[in-house]
């Protein structure tokens, strides 16, 4: 670019377009050393109560571990025993049934509730119903599980009393004491599962969809069902994938409600890996085998968590490249 001013000729170099230039990266501010020193006690406690028990469990899984006594090294014997442990195998079969329920009915009803809430035209009504459906999450889990134990009580439980009141005495039963119904009854704890993490995830995902998308679909005459199939579900695919990985990890850790209500019985009908490991450690004093069972669960959960992070990072990389 050349400009002429009176008798003097000034050469001004061309400046590249700023729109195509990458934004300048802000330099990261480093914290002073004492800020890291403040975290030192927390890190020490984390290492003592978090990492040390886990690493020691992995180490002792190769021993016939007897706390406070000499422990004999047995190599992979505990892991070989695990492959022929029928209770352990049945526990994973039970987990498969629980997982199938977790990604079907336990997603379907929260998704339906989120769709109904987001479809309300009044923002006040949306806030009201959203609050009513989220508040139960604040209730202590142990209280909820024990409440369901009262509902299933074979003598004075609400479920049996309700069946008698409507003339269906023949359907009364010992729901948690019968091997054929115990696992199903355990799955139905906290029914209808709306006050849950999937509801929050689905609702947040629907709220993040631009309103213009819904308005354009309404102008085009799209029915509510068509909008759900062709718009809502595809845009919720990321949330569904996240919930899938979380469901796998949570099911592997499942055991709280089973431990309180059935202890894994009757006849191992509600046995899960966590309870079996606890029984081996505290019930049978077979600490080395219990450590091998716990290590196996740890490796499965860690592997699935890393897989979820890898998938998420790959998706982010693909988006950045695009």
């Amino acid at each position: 670019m050349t400009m002429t001013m009176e008798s003097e000729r000034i050469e001004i170099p061309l400046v590249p377009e700023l729109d195509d230039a990458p934004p300048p990266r802000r330099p990261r501010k480093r914290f002073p050393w004492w800020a890291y020193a403040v975290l030192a006690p927390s890190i020490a406690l984390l290492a003592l109560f978090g990492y040390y028990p886990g690493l020691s469990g992995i180490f002792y899984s190769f021993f016939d571990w007897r706390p406070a006594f000499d422990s004999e090294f047995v190599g992979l014997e505990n892991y070989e025993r695990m492959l022929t442990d029928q209770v352990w195998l049945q526990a994973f079969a039970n987990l498969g049934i629980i997982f199938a329920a977790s990604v079907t009915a336990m997603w379907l009803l929260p998704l339906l509730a989120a769709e109904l809430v987001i479809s309300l035209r009044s923002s006040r009504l949306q806030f009201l119903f959203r609050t009513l459906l989220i508040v139960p999450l604040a209730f202590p889990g142990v209280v909820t599980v024990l409440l369901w134990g009262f509902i299933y009580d074979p003598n004075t439980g609400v479920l049996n009393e309700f069946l008698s009141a409507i003339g269906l005495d023949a359907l009364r039963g010992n729901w948690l004491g019968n091997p054929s119904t115990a696992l199903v009854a355990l799955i139905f704890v906290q029914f209808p599962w709306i006050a849950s993490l999937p509801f929050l995830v689905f609702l947040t995902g629907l709220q993040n969809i631009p309103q213009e998308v819904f308005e354009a679909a309404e102008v085009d005459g799209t029915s509510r069902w068509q909008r759900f199939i062709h718009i809502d579900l595809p845009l919720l695919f990321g949330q569904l994938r996240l919930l899938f990985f979380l469901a796998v990890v949570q099911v592997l850790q499942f055991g709280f409600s089973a431990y309180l209500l059935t202890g894994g019985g009757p006849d191992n009908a509600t046995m899960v890996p966590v309870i079996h490991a606890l029984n081996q450690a505290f019930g049978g004093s077979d600490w080395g085998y219990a450590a091998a069972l716990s290590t196996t669960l740890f490796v499965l959960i860690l592997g699935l968590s890393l897989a979820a992070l890898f998938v998420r990072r790959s998706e982010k990389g693909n988006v950045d490249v695009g």
Side-chain angles (χ1 to χ4, degrees):
M1 181 182 295
T2 306
M3 296 181 59
T4 304
M5 300 180 61
E6 297 179 353
S7 61
E8 184 178 1
R9 185 181 180 86
I10 302 176
E11 297 290 339
I12 302 178
L14 292 174
V15 179
E17 294 292 336
L18 296 180
D19 292 340
D20 297 334
R25 302 183 65 178
R26 298 178 60 183
R28 293 183 179 181
K29 294 183 178 180
R30 293 188 176 183
F31 290 98
W33 65 268
W34 54 263
Y36 296 94
V38 171
L39 293 177
S42 299
I43 296 174
L45 292 174
L46 179 63
L48 178 62
F49 296 105
Y51 289 100
Y52 174 73
L55 294 176
S56 64
I58 296 174
F59 175 77
Y60 284 113
S61 68
F62 299 100
F63 288 81
D64 181 14
W65 184 20
R66 295 182 299 167
F69 296 94
D70 292 335
S71 301
E72 179 186 358
F73 178 77
V74 296
L76 297 177
E77 183 178 320
N78 288 325
Y79 293 94
E80 294 173 355
R81 174 184 168 188
M82 179 180 62
L83 297 177
T84 58
D85 187 344
Q86 295 302 317
V87 178
W88 177 252
L89 298 178
Q90 182 178 353
F92 271 93
N94 293 337
L95 277 191
I97 298 174
I98 295 171
F99 177 75
S102 298
V103 298
T104 53
M106 292 184 185
W107 285 7
L108 181 61
L109 292 176
L111 177 57
L112 175 61
E115 287 283 353
L116 293 176
V117 170
I118 204 68
S119 298
L120 295 173
R121 296 187 178 275
S122 172
S123 58
R124 291 184 178 181
L125 285 178
Q126 284 191 18
F127 175 79
L128 174 62
F129 283 101
R130 182 172 67 246
T131 303
L132 291 175
L133 294 175
I134 291 176
V135 164
L137 287 174
F139 298 159
V142 63
V143 174
T144 303
V145 172
L146 293 178
L147 176 62
W148 275 90
F150 172 73
I151 293 174
Y152 287 136
D153 188 274
N155 300 315
T156 60
V158 175
L159 180 55
N160 281 339
E161 292 298 323
F162 172 75
L163 293 174
S164 297
I166 61 177
L168 297 176
D169 292 273
L171 297 180
R172 290 172 61 98
N174 187 1
W175 305 101
L176 294 174
N178 187 341
S180 61
T181 60
L183 185 59
V184 176
L186 200 63
I187 291 173
F188 269 82
V189 169
Q190 298 184 353
F191 178 83
W193 312 298
I194 293 177
S196 60
L197 178 64
F199 171 74
L200 289 176
V201 173
F202 287 137
L203 184 62
T204 303
L206 291 172
Q207 288 176 333
N208 288 334
I209 299 176
Q211 188 64 30
E212 293 78 7
V213 176
F214 295 148
E215 294 174 354
E218 186 174 353
V219 170
D220 292 339
T222 304
S223 66
R224 191 64 184 82
W225 175 252
Q226 290 174 331
R227 195 195 91 176
F228 173 74
I229 295 296
H230 299 290
I231 297 178
D232 295 0
L233 276 183
L235 293 178
L236 288 175
F237 185 72
Q239 284 79 2
L240 289 169
R241 184 158 37 204
L242 170 65
L243 287 175
F244 178 83
F245 282 108
L246 291 178
V248 173
V249 173
Q250 289 175 350
V251 166
L252 287 173
Q253 297 175 330
F254 181 85
F256 176 70
S257 57
Y259 184 80
L260 288 178
L261 295 179
T262 64
D267 195 22
N268 297 323
T270 60
M271 181 61 66
V272 290
V274 170
I275 295 181
H276 187 49
L278 290 175
N279 289 342
Q280 294 299 314
F282 296 99
S285 297
D286 198 347
W287 296 93
Y289 184 51
L293 299 180
S294 301
T295 300
T296 302
L297 285 177
F298 167 74
V299 171
L300 289 174
I301 294 172
L302 178 62
L304 291 168
S305 301
L306 292 177
L309 292 175
F310 176 77
V311 170
R312 181 64 178 171
R313 186 173 182 179
S314 299
E315 290 178 352
K316 186 177 180 181
N318 292 335
V319 171
D320 291 342
V321 172

